[in-house]
């Protein structure tokens, strides 16, 4: 019975792509916190989301891990290193060494640490070329999890997020339904009862023509890819002026999710 949970990471854990009714993001970690809180007496669950979009592994370690250890929760989810892997010239072996030091540090101070793998990017423009690096990093994450007895939220194996409806228009972040399926998979990992199957197939879609696909690709490149490259060239991060959500009430999260439907 998990009574407290802290989410650590970058945009994936912050919830980018899953806006609530007020425009602030919800995301899989907040949704997962609701699943955990529903198993506790009312008011007997603590949740804090420390994740901030755009953060690199070392920034997460410096800014978020001390707070997570201070809170000493029953469970911490750690998703980090993805933004490092996306950088040109990055070495997944070296990133994994730093990730292991973070896991070792956390496991000495909190109840349990759930680590996450990266997604399979074979169908994602640009990112599909990084598939090998992501797979290498995932192998390290699973090995680290074995050494420190960490549950693994394996996103590579979650095949239903290969559907384009699981992704936001920017093709880098999950849609609300994608975040929901990850939250459900996290529940499965910990063996708790979940309200739906994250592997449930999507309804069939009508076929898309070549013109429609090309039009969407051009729109995506103009609206999302070019600005993303521009930020990289300027040394900017999407999270430079973003503050972590901090402590959140599961009841408030549930209300925001219901209002957004």
């Amino acid at each position: 019975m998990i009574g407290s949970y802290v989410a650590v990471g970058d945009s994936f854990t912050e919830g980018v792509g899953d806006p609530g009714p007020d425009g602030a993001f919800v995301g899989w970690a907040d949704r997962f916190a609701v699943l955990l809180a529903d198993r506790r007496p009312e008011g007997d669950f603590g949740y804090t989301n420390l994740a901030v979009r755009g953060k690199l592994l070392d920034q997460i370690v410096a800014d978020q891990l001390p707070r997570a250890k201070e809170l000493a929760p029953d469970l911490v989810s750690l998703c980090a290193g993805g933004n490092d892997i996306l950088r040109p010239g990055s070495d997944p072996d070296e990133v994994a060494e730093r990730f292991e030091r973070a896991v070792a540090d956390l496991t000495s101070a909190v109840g349990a640490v759930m680590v996450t793998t990266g997604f399979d990017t074979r169908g994602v423009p640009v990112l599909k070329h990084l598939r090998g690096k992501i797979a290498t990093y995932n192998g390290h994450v699973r090995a680290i999890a074995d050494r420190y007895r960490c549950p693994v939220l394996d996103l590579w194996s979650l095949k239903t997020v290969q559907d384009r409806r699981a992704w936001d228009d920017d093709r880098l972040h999950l849609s609300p339904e994608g975040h929901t399926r990850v939250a459900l998979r996290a529940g499965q990992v910990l063996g708790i009862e979940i309200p739906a199957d994250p592997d449930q197939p999507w309804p069939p879609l009508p076929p898309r023509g070549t013109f429609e696909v090309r039009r969407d690709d051009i729109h995506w490149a103009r609206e999302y890819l070019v600005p993303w490259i521009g930020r990289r060239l300027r040394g900017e991060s999407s999270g430079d002026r973003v503050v972590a959500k901090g402590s959140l009430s599961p009841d408030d999260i549930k209300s925001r999710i219901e209002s957004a439907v």
Side-chain angles (χ1 to χ4, degrees):
M1 296 292 289
I2 297 169
S4 53
Y5 166 45
V6 172
V8 171
D10 50 30
S11 60
F12 168 61
T13 302
E14 184 188 346
V16 175
D18 184 12
D22 55 358
F25 295 115
V26 183
W28 76 270
D30 292 9
R31 293 173 180 271
F32 176 52
V34 170
L35 294 177
L36 294 174
D38 284 346
R39 297 172 57 83
R40 303 283 299 187
E42 186 173 354
D44 187 28
F45 183 80
Y47 171 54
T48 303
N49 191 319
L50 301 175
V52 175
R53 71 197 75 167
K55 296 302 180 183
L56 299 168
L57 174 56
D58 288 348
Q59 294 172 318
I60 291 170
V61 169
D63 299 338
Q64 300 178 32
L65 259 61
R67 179 58 177 155
K69 291 191 296 180
E70 179 184 328
L71 292 169
D74 296 331
L75 175 68
V76 170
S77 63
L78 173 63
C79 181
N83 288 323
D84 297 71
I85 298 298
L86 292 180
R87 299 225 160 182
S90 62
D91 179 357
D93 300 326
E94 186 276 330
V95 177
E97 290 177 1
R98 290 186 281 122
F99 182 81
E100 180 162 6
R101 290 196 290 270
V103 171
D105 189 23
L106 266 180
T107 53
S108 68
V110 305
V113 178
M114 179 171 67
V115 298
T116 63
T117 70
F119 293 100
D120 185 351
T121 59
R122 61 181 170 180
V124 183
V126 181
L127 297 186
K128 64 184 178 183
H129 302 295
L130 299 174
R131 191 179 185 224
K133 289 174 65 173
I134 295 169
T136 299
Y137 187 62
N138 285 352
H140 284 300
V141 169
R142 294 187 189 98
I144 292 165
D146 286 344
R147 287 194 285 273
Y148 293 89
R149 299 182 180 180
C150 300
V152 180
L153 177 54
D154 188 354
L155 304 176
W156 186 281
S157 69
L158 186 57
K159 298 303 183 184
T160 50
V161 297
Q162 296 297 324
D163 191 286
R164 59 188 173 89
R165 287 167 287 186
W167 294 88
D168 188 37
D169 290 342
D170 67 4
R171 303 183 186 180
L172 288 173
H173 300 99
L174 294 174
S175 67
E177 179 62 22
H179 278 284
T180 298
R181 289 180 182 246
V182 170
L184 293 170
R185 175 53 59 84
Q188 280 185 333
V189 168
L190 294 188
I192 69 174
E193 184 177 351
I194 55 176
D197 181 3
D199 293 308
Q200 180 179 352
W202 295 79
L205 278 174
R208 303 170 72 214
T210 303
F211 173 77
E212 184 180 5
V213 172
R214 183 168 178 77
R215 181 197 63 194
D216 290 348
D217 286 347
I218 292 172
H219 172 78
W220 169 77
R222 182 177 63 247
E223 296 295 322
Y224 300 104
L225 179 60
V226 172
W228 182 74
I229 293 173
R231 287 197 301 273
R232 290 294 177 272
L233 294 175
R234 294 190 298 272
E236 297 176 359
S237 168
S238 56
D240 283 345
R241 288 169 289 279
V242 176
V243 177
K245 300 177 192 176
S247 179
L248 299 171
S249 161
D251 287 338
D252 289 344
I253 296 170
K254 191 181 298 185
S255 296
R256 295 180 68 237
I257 293 171
E258 292 170 351
S259 298
V261 174

